[in-house]
mmCIF file of all heavy atoms in Angstrom:
data_model
loop_
_atom_site.group_PDB
_atom_site.id
_atom_site.type_symbol
_atom_site.label_atom_id
_atom_site.label_comp_id
_atom_site.label_asym_id
_atom_site.label_seq_id
_atom_site.Cartn_x
_atom_site.Cartn_y
_atom_site.Cartn_z
ATOM 1 N N ARG V 959 -7.013 -5.607 -11.210
ATOM 2 C CA ARG V 959 -7.875 -6.325 -10.267
ATOM 3 C C ARG V 959 -7.806 -7.835 -10.496
ATOM 4 O O ARG V 959 -7.791 -8.625 -9.546
ATOM 5 C CB ARG V 959 -9.316 -5.827 -10.388
ATOM 6 C CG ARG V 959 -9.552 -4.505 -9.680
ATOM 7 C CD ARG V 959 -11.010 -4.158 -9.566
ATOM 8 N NE ARG V 959 -11.549 -3.596 -10.794
ATOM 9 C CZ ARG V 959 -11.449 -2.314 -11.130
ATOM 10 N NH1 ARG V 959 -10.835 -1.446 -10.339
ATOM 11 N NH2 ARG V 959 -11.982 -1.860 -12.246
ATOM 12 N N LYS V 960 -7.744 -8.225 -11.749
ATOM 13 C CA LYS V 960 -7.624 -9.653 -12.055
ATOM 14 C C LYS V 960 -6.281 -10.204 -11.583
ATOM 15 O O LYS V 960 -6.198 -11.333 -11.080
ATOM 16 C CB LYS V 960 -7.798 -9.880 -13.558
ATOM 17 C CG LYS V 960 -9.201 -9.549 -14.069
ATOM 18 C CD LYS V 960 -9.304 -9.766 -15.571
ATOM 19 C CE LYS V 960 -10.701 -9.428 -16.071
ATOM 20 N NZ LYS V 960 -10.834 -9.590 -17.552
ATOM 21 N N LEU V 961 -5.235 -9.392 -11.730
ATOM 22 C CA LEU V 961 -3.911 -9.823 -11.278
ATOM 23 C C LEU V 961 -3.879 -9.997 -9.770
ATOM 24 O O LEU V 961 -3.328 -10.974 -9.251
ATOM 25 C CB LEU V 961 -2.865 -8.799 -11.711
ATOM 26 C CG LEU V 961 -2.542 -8.743 -13.206
ATOM 27 C CD1 LEU V 961 -1.778 -7.468 -13.537
ATOM 28 C CD2 LEU V 961 -1.721 -9.970 -13.613
ATOM 29 N N VAL V 962 -4.469 -9.051 -9.054
ATOM 30 C CA VAL V 962 -4.499 -9.138 -7.589
ATOM 31 C C VAL V 962 -5.308 -10.350 -7.133
ATOM 32 O O VAL V 962 -4.921 -11.054 -6.189
ATOM 33 C CB VAL V 962 -5.073 -7.835 -6.989
ATOM 34 C CG1 VAL V 962 -5.352 -7.995 -5.493
ATOM 35 C CG2 VAL V 962 -4.114 -6.674 -7.216
ATOM 36 N N ALA V 963 -6.423 -10.610 -7.809
ATOM 37 C CA ALA V 963 -7.260 -11.756 -7.440
ATOM 38 C C ALA V 963 -6.522 -13.075 -7.634
ATOM 39 O O ALA V 963 -6.751 -14.042 -6.898
ATOM 40 C CB ALA V 963 -8.540 -11.743 -8.274
ATOM 41 N N ALA V 964 -5.601 -13.104 -8.596
ATOM 42 C CA ALA V 964 -4.892 -14.347 -8.909
ATOM 43 C C ALA V 964 -3.559 -14.471 -8.182
ATOM 44 O O ALA V 964 -2.976 -15.565 -8.149
ATOM 45 C CB ALA V 964 -4.657 -14.441 -10.418
ATOM 46 N N SER V 965 -3.081 -13.380 -7.593
ATOM 47 C CA SER V 965 -1.735 -13.394 -7.013
ATOM 48 C C SER V 965 -1.701 -12.803 -5.607
ATOM 49 O O SER V 965 -1.792 -11.573 -5.450
ATOM 50 C CB SER V 965 -0.769 -12.602 -7.909
ATOM 51 O OG SER V 965 0.453 -12.372 -7.244
ATOM 52 N N PRO V 966 -1.535 -13.634 -4.592
ATOM 53 C CA PRO V 966 -1.381 -13.110 -3.216
ATOM 54 C C PRO V 966 -0.183 -12.180 -3.093
ATOM 55 O O PRO V 966 -0.225 -11.213 -2.323
ATOM 56 C CB PRO V 966 -1.180 -14.383 -2.386
ATOM 57 C CG PRO V 966 -1.837 -15.471 -3.179
ATOM 58 C CD PRO V 966 -1.589 -15.116 -4.610
ATOM 59 N N ALA V 967 0.871 -12.428 -3.860
ATOM 60 C CA ALA V 967 2.073 -11.592 -3.774
ATOM 61 C C ALA V 967 1.792 -10.163 -4.239
ATOM 62 O O ALA V 967 2.244 -9.199 -3.616
ATOM 63 C CB ALA V 967 3.202 -12.201 -4.608
ATOM 64 N N ILE V 968 1.036 -10.006 -5.326
ATOM 65 C CA ILE V 968 0.720 -8.665 -5.821
ATOM 66 C C ILE V 968 -0.230 -7.966 -4.855
ATOM 67 O O ILE V 968 -0.078 -6.776 -4.569
ATOM 68 C CB ILE V 968 0.125 -8.729 -7.235
ATOM 69 C CG1 ILE V 968 1.154 -9.303 -8.214
ATOM 70 C CG2 ILE V 968 -0.321 -7.341 -7.696
ATOM 71 C CD1 ILE V 968 0.638 -9.463 -9.639
ATOM 72 N N GLY V 969 -1.194 -8.703 -4.331
ATOM 73 C CA GLY V 969 -2.115 -8.114 -3.359
ATOM 74 C C GLY V 969 -1.394 -7.657 -2.098
ATOM 75 O O GLY V 969 -1.658 -6.564 -1.574
ATOM 76 N N ASP V 970 -0.468 -8.453 -1.616
ATOM 77 C CA ASP V 970 0.296 -8.087 -0.422
ATOM 78 C C ASP V 970 1.152 -6.861 -0.679
ATOM 79 O O ASP V 970 1.278 -5.976 0.177
ATOM 80 C CB ASP V 970 1.175 -9.261 0.000
ATOM 81 C CG ASP V 970 2.004 -8.959 1.234
ATOM 82 O OD1 ASP V 970 1.409 -8.742 2.308
ATOM 83 O OD2 ASP V 970 3.248 -8.929 1.123
ATOM 84 N N LEU V 971 1.729 -6.798 -1.852
ATOM 85 C CA LEU V 971 2.529 -5.640 -2.253
ATOM 86 C C LEU V 971 1.696 -4.357 -2.168
ATOM 87 O O LEU V 971 2.159 -3.327 -1.654
ATOM 88 C CB LEU V 971 3.041 -5.880 -3.666
ATOM 89 C CG LEU V 971 3.721 -4.804 -4.492
ATOM 90 C CD1 LEU V 971 4.651 -5.468 -5.494
ATOM 91 C CD2 LEU V 971 2.692 -3.964 -5.262
ATOM 92 N N CYS V 972 0.457 -4.406 -2.654
ATOM 93 C CA CYS V 972 -0.424 -3.239 -2.636
ATOM 94 C C CYS V 972 -0.739 -2.802 -1.210
ATOM 95 O O CYS V 972 -0.696 -1.606 -0.881
ATOM 96 C CB CYS V 972 -1.724 -3.544 -3.367
ATOM 97 S SG CYS V 972 -1.539 -3.852 -5.129
ATOM 98 N N MET V 973 -1.062 -3.757 -0.360
ATOM 99 C CA MET V 973 -1.417 -3.442 1.020
ATOM 100 C C MET V 973 -0.234 -2.853 1.775
ATOM 101 O O MET V 973 -0.379 -1.895 2.543
ATOM 102 C CB MET V 973 -1.932 -4.694 1.727
ATOM 103 C CG MET V 973 -3.237 -5.236 1.179
ATOM 104 S SD MET V 973 -4.591 -4.031 1.282
ATOM 105 C CE MET V 973 -4.766 -3.885 3.067
ATOM 106 N N ARG V 974 0.947 -3.416 1.570
ATOM 107 C CA ARG V 974 2.119 -2.924 2.284
ATOM 108 C C ARG V 974 2.455 -1.498 1.874
ATOM 109 O O ARG V 974 2.785 -0.661 2.716
ATOM 110 C CB ARG V 974 3.318 -3.846 2.024
ATOM 111 C CG ARG V 974 3.262 -5.158 2.785
ATOM 112 C CD ARG V 974 4.555 -5.925 2.666
ATOM 113 N NE ARG V 974 4.749 -6.494 1.327
ATOM 114 C CZ ARG V 974 5.657 -6.075 0.460
ATOM 115 N NH1 ARG V 974 6.462 -5.070 0.769
ATOM 116 N NH2 ARG V 974 5.776 -6.647 -0.732
ATOM 117 N N PHE V 975 2.370 -1.202 0.581
ATOM 118 C CA PHE V 975 2.726 0.154 0.170
ATOM 119 C C PHE V 975 1.643 1.147 0.551
ATOM 120 O O PHE V 975 1.937 2.313 0.825
ATOM 121 C CB PHE V 975 3.019 0.246 -1.328
ATOM 122 C CG PHE V 975 3.626 1.573 -1.685
ATOM 123 C CD1 PHE V 975 4.931 1.874 -1.305
ATOM 124 C CD2 PHE V 975 2.903 2.546 -2.357
ATOM 125 C CE1 PHE V 975 5.495 3.113 -1.591
ATOM 126 C CE2 PHE V 975 3.457 3.779 -2.649
ATOM 127 C CZ PHE V 975 4.763 4.065 -2.258
ATOM 128 N N ASN V 976 0.397 0.726 0.605
ATOM 129 C CA ASN V 976 -0.663 1.620 1.065
ATOM 130 C C ASN V 976 -0.400 2.051 2.505
ATOM 131 O O ASN V 976 -0.594 3.214 2.861
ATOM 132 C CB ASN V 976 -2.024 0.941 0.958
ATOM 133 C CG ASN V 976 -3.169 1.906 1.215
ATOM 134 O OD1 ASN V 976 -3.322 2.902 0.518
ATOM 135 N ND2 ASN V 976 -3.975 1.620 2.223
ATOM 136 N N GLU V 977 0.064 1.124 3.330
ATOM 137 C CA GLU V 977 0.415 1.461 4.711
ATOM 138 C C GLU V 977 1.587 2.434 4.742
ATOM 139 O O GLU V 977 1.620 3.367 5.558
ATOM 140 C CB GLU V 977 0.758 0.191 5.487
ATOM 141 C CG GLU V 977 1.118 0.432 6.953
ATOM 142 C CD GLU V 977 -0.012 1.048 7.756
ATOM 143 O OE1 GLU V 977 -1.193 0.862 7.393
ATOM 144 O OE2 GLU V 977 0.293 1.735 8.754
ATOM 145 N N THR V 978 2.544 2.249 3.844
ATOM 146 C CA THR V 978 3.678 3.170 3.752
ATOM 147 C C THR V 978 3.205 4.587 3.429
ATOM 148 O O THR V 978 3.680 5.566 4.017
ATOM 149 C CB THR V 978 4.666 2.702 2.665
ATOM 150 O OG1 THR V 978 5.207 1.433 3.033
ATOM 151 C CG2 THR V 978 5.804 3.692 2.484
ATOM 152 N N LEU V 979 2.248 4.715 2.511
ATOM 153 C CA LEU V 979 1.717 6.030 2.164
ATOM 154 C C LEU V 979 0.983 6.665 3.341
ATOM 155 O O LEU V 979 1.089 7.880 3.566
ATOM 156 C CB LEU V 979 0.765 5.925 0.972
ATOM 157 C CG LEU V 979 1.386 5.702 -0.401
ATOM 158 C CD1 LEU V 979 0.301 5.617 -1.465
ATOM 159 C CD2 LEU V 979 2.371 6.822 -0.750
ATOM 160 N N LEU V 980 0.249 5.870 4.101
ATOM 161 C CA LEU V 980 -0.461 6.398 5.270
ATOM 162 C C LEU V 980 0.527 6.934 6.298
ATOM 163 O O LEU V 980 0.318 8.003 6.883
ATOM 164 C CB LEU V 980 -1.343 5.309 5.881
ATOM 165 C CG LEU V 980 -2.571 4.898 5.069
ATOM 166 C CD1 LEU V 980 -3.274 3.717 5.730
ATOM 167 C CD2 LEU V 980 -3.535 6.066 4.925
ATOM 168 N N VAL V 981 1.592 6.193 6.528
ATOM 169 C CA VAL V 981 2.620 6.647 7.467
ATOM 170 C C VAL V 981 3.260 7.938 6.970
ATOM 171 O O VAL V 981 3.461 8.889 7.732
ATOM 172 C CB VAL V 981 3.688 5.552 7.671
ATOM 173 C CG1 VAL V 981 4.874 6.107 8.465
ATOM 174 C CG2 VAL V 981 3.099 4.353 8.391
ATOM 175 N N GLN V 982 3.568 7.989 5.679
ATOM 176 C CA GLN V 982 4.183 9.185 5.096
ATOM 177 C C GLN V 982 3.263 10.394 5.242
ATOM 178 O O GLN V 982 3.725 11.505 5.571
ATOM 179 C CB GLN V 982 4.515 8.941 3.623
ATOM 180 C CG GLN V 982 5.353 10.039 3.008
ATOM 181 C CD GLN V 982 5.660 9.824 1.536
ATOM 182 O OE1 GLN V 982 5.935 10.776 0.808
ATOM 183 N NE2 GLN V 982 5.634 8.588 1.079
ATOM 184 N N ALA V 983 1.966 10.189 5.028
ATOM 185 C CA ALA V 983 1.008 11.289 5.147
ATOM 186 C C ALA V 983 0.932 11.795 6.583
ATOM 187 O O ALA V 983 0.844 13.009 6.822
ATOM 188 C CB ALA V 983 -0.370 10.834 4.669
ATOM 189 N N ARG V 984 0.987 10.886 7.557
ATOM 190 C CA ARG V 984 0.937 11.303 8.960
ATOM 191 C C ARG V 984 2.167 12.113 9.338
ATOM 192 O O ARG V 984 2.072 13.139 10.013
ATOM 193 C CB ARG V 984 0.818 10.066 9.862
ATOM 194 C CG ARG V 984 -0.501 9.322 9.711
ATOM 195 C CD ARG V 984 -0.523 8.090 10.602
ATOM 196 N NE ARG V 984 -1.692 7.254 10.315
ATOM 197 C CZ ARG V 984 -1.634 5.970 9.986
ATOM 198 N NH1 ARG V 984 -0.459 5.356 9.914
ATOM 199 N NH2 ARG V 984 -2.737 5.283 9.757
ATOM 200 N N ILE V 985 3.324 11.648 8.899
ATOM 201 C CA ILE V 985 4.565 12.363 9.208
ATOM 202 C C ILE V 985 4.565 13.737 8.537
ATOM 203 O O ILE V 985 4.953 14.749 9.141
ATOM 204 C CB ILE V 985 5.789 11.549 8.761
ATOM 205 C CG1 ILE V 985 5.875 10.239 9.555
ATOM 206 C CG2 ILE V 985 7.073 12.359 8.944
ATOM 207 C CD1 ILE V 985 6.918 9.279 9.027
ATOM 208 N N THR V 986 4.107 13.800 7.284
ATOM 209 C CA THR V 986 4.067 15.068 6.561
ATOM 210 C C THR V 986 3.130 16.051 7.240
ATOM 211 O O THR V 986 3.433 17.253 7.350
ATOM 212 C CB THR V 986 3.625 14.847 5.106
ATOM 213 O OG1 THR V 986 4.553 13.975 4.457
ATOM 214 C CG2 THR V 986 3.566 16.162 4.339
ATOM 215 N N ALA V 987 1.971 15.566 7.724
ATOM 216 C CA ALA V 987 1.022 16.443 8.418
ATOM 217 C C ALA V 987 1.656 17.038 9.672
ATOM 218 O O ALA V 987 1.530 18.241 9.939
ATOM 219 C CB ALA V 987 -0.238 15.665 8.776
ATOM 220 N N ALA V 988 2.351 16.202 10.437
ATOM 221 C CA ALA V 988 3.019 16.690 11.639
ATOM 222 C C ALA V 988 4.130 17.672 11.288
ATOM 223 O O ALA V 988 4.302 18.707 11.945
ATOM 224 C CB ALA V 988 3.582 15.513 12.437
ATOM 225 N N CYS V 989 4.875 17.365 10.245
ATOM 226 C CA CYS V 989 5.972 18.230 9.802
ATOM 227 C C CYS V 989 5.456 19.603 9.385
ATOM 228 O O CYS V 989 6.003 20.644 9.779
ATOM 229 C CB CYS V 989 6.708 17.565 8.651
ATOM 230 S SG CYS V 989 8.168 18.470 8.072
#
């Protein structure tokens, strides 16, 4: 949490991969 608060790059990395997981979950549900 301290790293994310100090680094926009790490925070952005987390948000982007969270979206990737959501997409993967939607595709898996349909599959």
Side-chain angles (χ1 to χ4, degrees):
R959 281 191 280 276
K960 294 179 180 178
L961 289 165
V962 170
S965 168
I968 297 178
D970 180 64
L971 170 154
C972 295
M973 294 301 294
R974 284 189 288 110
F975 191 71
N976 189 59
E977 181 62 26
T978 297
L979 286 180
L980 290 174
V981 171
Q982 189 181 156
R984 293 178 189 124
I985 296 171
T986 300
C989 184

